[in-house]
Amino acid sequence: MKRRDVILGLGAGTALTACGQPGSAPAVQTSRSKTFEWKMVTTWPKNFPGLGTAAEYLAESITQASGGRLKVRVYGAGERVPALEVFDAVSRGAAEMGHGAAYYWKGKAPAAPFFTAIPFGLTSWEMNGWLYFGGGLELWRELYAPFNLMPFEAGNTGTQMGGWFRQPVNSLADLQGLKMRIPGLGGEVMKEIGVTTVNIPGNELFTSLQTGAIDATEWVSAYNDLAFGLYKAAKYYYYPGWHEPGPTLEAIVNMDRWRELPEDLQAVVRTCCQAAGSRMMAEYAARNQRALKTLTDEHGVQVKAFPDEVINALAAATGRVLARITGEDEMAAKIYDSYRGYREQVSQSTAILEHAYLNARATADNKGT
Ligand code: CA
């Protein structure tokens, strides 16, 4: 009787495609029998340590957790579309999914950098607090909706380094006139203090720096920067990463393809993105120090702090850049309002929880306890 009910209700064709389980509930059978194959285009070189491998991990997780019903295949930068065309490709549906960083798209949506990192902004764990529990994710979805895109947090590198310089930076004057690769609002701020800035994708960095086409570049932190061999082209490696204190990586899904997914597969995508994000932070925490030691001990890299004069000038310029962006763009003003409110709040607990503890640990370490 059950089988006949299915046939009567949905037609013989549907019943026969239902994975050989004619007794299951018809509605579930229909959605679970459908499989999807997605292309994920990325802004990273294929399998690049940490970034490209995070995209692979996400794709494999989704494929496995969905029991193969949603198969995702990753394409590195340039394989299907160039790195900086990922947003457009997923928006128009040339690929179902993308992996990159929101601040690459500030030319399309001036507020996009708030969803990667802004200078002197949130750290990685503070950022996730804003996204998941402070209204950030909802604002991100609102920002991307006109582009037919659904965004997810899908990674975070933790605090980055300030960048590689061919010459030492002993003063603000040493920075002025340099040509540097630095994307996002960090680039706008550098421009404000007299640096010529460019945004070029990761796979072109080494050649640009080595040939002198640029004088300096930021990329990520030791783990990733070692992998690109940037130390062969510049020896001065500066901290802190004032411009990217906890940059979030994004996964984007074409909205039409997202709506096509049954609810359980949507949950798979959502949960796998969050898992990939958490895993990436652990990976960077574990691997950065090892890479930093290789850079200093084996490659003679000089690790230096930016002078206070430089940090102060960058902080002042950040205020001007944020005022300009939020003054010119309504969404940027709305998003910054939320971001700033959260930052003010969270800074107080970060000060007495994380910051005070790290100071205490440093004190204890110095005493040899
Ligand atoms: Ca960076």
Side-chain angles (χ1 to χ4, degrees), residues 260-342:
E260 258 173 24
L261 288 185
E263 272 181 22
D264 65 328
L265 290 188
Q266 288 186 341
V268 164
V269 172
R270 203 164 36 231
T271 308
C272 287
C273 284
Q274 199 172 351
S278 167
R279 184 178 186 274
M280 180 185 265
M281 281 200 263
E283 183 181 8
Y284 279 71
R287 293 187 165 152
N288 264 328
Q289 179 53 34
R290 208 181 309 157
L292 196 59
K293 198 165 161 47
T294 304
L295 287 171
T296 53
D297 296 3
E298 293 176 28
H299 301 302
V301 167
Q302 293 194 40
V303 178
K304 290 169 154 305
F306 282 122
D308 287 349
E309 181 196 17
V310 167
I311 293 295
N312 289 336
L314 292 169
T318 295
R320 296 195 294 275
V321 166
L322 284 169
R324 191 169 65 229
I325 288 167
T326 54
E328 286 169 355
D329 186 78
E330 210 175 302
M331 254 326 258
K334 181 177 172 178
I335 291 165
Y336 184 47
D337 199 43
S338 166
Y339 186 101
R340 184 171 48 185
Y342 173 82

Side-chain angles (χ1 to χ4, degrees), residues 165-184:
F165 293 79
R166 286 158 64 92
Q167 301 296 328
V169 179
N170 295 319
S171 65
L172 184 56
D174 285 347
L175 263 184
Q176 288 161 335
L178 294 186
K179 190 170 180 187
M180 180 172 188
R181 180 270 186 190
I182 173 166

Side-chain angles (χ1 to χ4, degrees), residues 41 48 68 91 124 132 149 155 159 162 179 194 200 211 218 285 287 301 315 317 326 336 358 360:
V41 290
F48 186 79
S91 177
S124 55
Y132 289 111
L149 290 171
T159 310
K179 190 170 180 187
I200 49 179
T211 58
E218 72 81 56
R287 293 187 165 152
V301 167
T326 54
Y336 184 47
L358 291 175

Side-chain angles (χ1 to χ4, degrees), residues 61-78:
S61 300
I62 293 172
T63 303
Q64 285 175 9
S66 69
R69 288 161 54 215
L70 173 52
K71 292 194 179 90
V72 183
R73 184 170 169 191
V74 178
Y75 294 87

